[in-house]
Amino acid sequence: MQGLTVQGLTVEALSVHYGRQRVLDNISTGLLPRGEVIVLLGPNGCGKSTLLKAMAGLLPRQGRMLLDGRELGRGRGQAEGKLVYLPQNLPGDVRLRVDESVMVAANALRSGLGDDSRSAVEQLLHRLGISQLAHRQLGELSGGQKQIVALAQALIREPDILLLDEPLSALDLRRQFEVMRLIQTETRQRNMLTLIVLHDLNIALKHGDRTLLLNQGRLQGCGLPAEVITPAQLARVFGVSARVEHCSHGRLNVLIDAALPAGKL
Ligand SMILES: Nc1ncnc2c1ncn2[C@@H]1O[C@H](COP(=O)(O)OP(=O)(O)O)[C@@H](O)[C@H]1O
Ligand SMILES: [Mg+2]
């Protein structure tokens, strides 16, 4: 019965090796429910991108991934359109207009959006605040504009699981806020699951439903952002002395005071 099935993604004992080096070690997340934005945090080189690539089936992996209780085949999720992955480094210049590139992504859907695809593309560009870019060439866009177009290409494919690797890195402050709010809204409305790599802890606290904290290939924390983003964890994982305090609006904020001397990590 549908009601009894667990709706969401479970990663079980996932490990990845590059040659003989084990880069991800036995990652088990428990159930990541549909409708949630899961923020993946961790220092440079800890394995965040590797985790997303392995989940997308782009790297050989050990372990299992279950969506709604059913095992996803290695790589098959992406082919079925269930899983859409946006890499950290977006592909180079493509000779296409913005709206054409999103149409191409729409037409790659297994069901297709049919005659409605043009209006679906227009509506999505509007919701993302980039209607004015529709007729521009991709190669002419700024880094931040390209990131938003790439997000449109990902969303139009109606994924069950959306994997975003640092999608805010080139966006200005306002765009970061707007894009996170949109990701949250779309994730809830489509009942999909979004896993997003970020470096900004305050964005994770504000817009994340759940946080995964990775360090040296191991999962150091998994839970509500306020449970995972604590001074003790920030000292252990990032090597910083930090405060997590309520602001005048009652929300949690992180303040970094100092980098800890190496011996104190
Ligand atoms: N293609 C590769 N071959 C060998 N080692 C790699 C490769 N890609 C990444 N690594 C190594 O794997 C580790 C994790 O990298 P990555 O997942 O990119 O980290 P993050 O995204 O957290 O910054 C790093 O030590 C990195 O040097
Ligand atoms: Mg990375």
Side-chain angles (χ1 to χ4, degrees):
M1 231 168 71
Q2 190 75 11
L4 293 178
T5 336
V6 194
Q7 297 288 301
L9 175 72
T10 312
V11 175
E12 280 181 6
L14 187 142
S15 294
V16 173
H17 295 79
Y18 282 123
R20 292 172 70 179
Q21 188 198 357
R22 178 179 280 216
V23 179
L24 289 177
D25 188 6
N26 208 19
I27 305 285
S28 294
T29 60
L31 178 73
L32 306 172
R34 280 180 181 265
E36 288 200 355
V37 175
I38 321 283
V39 178
L40 176 58
L41 299 170
N44 294 337
C46 72
K48 303 179 296 298
S49 295
T50 302
L51 178 58
L52 262 55
K53 284 182 210 162
M55 290 174 73
L58 302 174
L59 286 175
R61 64 175 194 239
Q62 294 166 285
R64 301 200 305 163
M65 281 169 52
L66 305 164
L67 178 62
D68 305 335
R70 286 216 301 270
E71 184 163 5
L72 282 177
R74 277 155 227 273
R76 267 217 334 265
Q78 213 178 9
E80 288 167 3
K82 286 187 167 172
L83 209 145
V84 170
Y85 159 69
L86 205 63
Q88 186 168 358
N89 300 310
L90 297 174
D93 292 352
V94 185
R95 289 187 60 80
L96 271 182
R97 278 184 359 194
V98 166
D99 54 352
E100 290 167 346
S101 76
V102 182
M103 280 291 281
V104 168
N107 292 334
L109 265 181
R110 66 210 127 135
S111 54
L113 292 170
D115 294 341
D116 294 337
S117 55
R118 181 150 294 280
S119 79
V121 168
E122 280 170 13
Q123 280 175 31
L124 181 59
L125 296 186
H126 178 71
R127 285 212 302 285
L128 284 164
I130 52 168
S131 298
Q132 78 287 2
L133 299 180
H135 295 170
R136 297 273 302 276
Q137 290 288 321
L138 280 178
E140 294 171 2
L141 303 182
S142 75
Q145 290 169 333
K146 277 184 194 151
Q147 275 187 332
I148 300 180
V149 174
L151 189 61
Q153 292 167 357
L155 285 171
I156 202 77
R157 291 165 65 190
E158 302 184 338
D160 289 295
I161 302 169
L162 181 58
L163 304 171
L164 304 174
D165 200 348
E166 302 197 27
L168 310 181
S169 58
L171 301 186
D172 63 48
L173 282 176
R174 185 191 168 104
R175 285 296 193 175
Q176 288 184 21
F177 184 87
E178 288 175 347
V179 165
M180 277 313 293
R181 203 173 48 184
L182 184 106
I183 288 172
Q184 224 175 0
T185 310
E186 297 284 327
T187 301
R188 303 232 194 300
Q189 280 177 358
R190 297 166 186 239
N191 200 28
M192 62 180 187
L193 183 137
T194 301
L195 182 59
I196 175 167
V197 177
L198 294 180
H199 283 293
D200 190 320
L201 301 171
N202 286 316
I203 293 183
L205 281 167
K206 185 168 169 52
H207 295 279
D209 297 303
R210 210 170 280 251
T211 302
L212 300 178
L213 182 60
L214 206 57
N215 193 25
Q216 297 182 349
R218 298 213 169 124
L219 202 56
Q220 296 288 328
C222 175
L224 296 175
E227 291 168 358
V228 173
I229 302 172
T230 61
Q233 287 279 46
L234 298 179
R236 191 175 308 128
V237 171
F238 290 98
V240 292
S241 157
R243 285 170 285 150
V244 184
E245 294 182 349
H246 285 96
C247 72
S248 58
H249 289 196
R251 282 196 293 270
L252 284 177
N253 261 284
V254 180
L255 301 129
I256 310 294
D257 290 318
L260 291 169
K264 283 189 126 189
L265 301 186

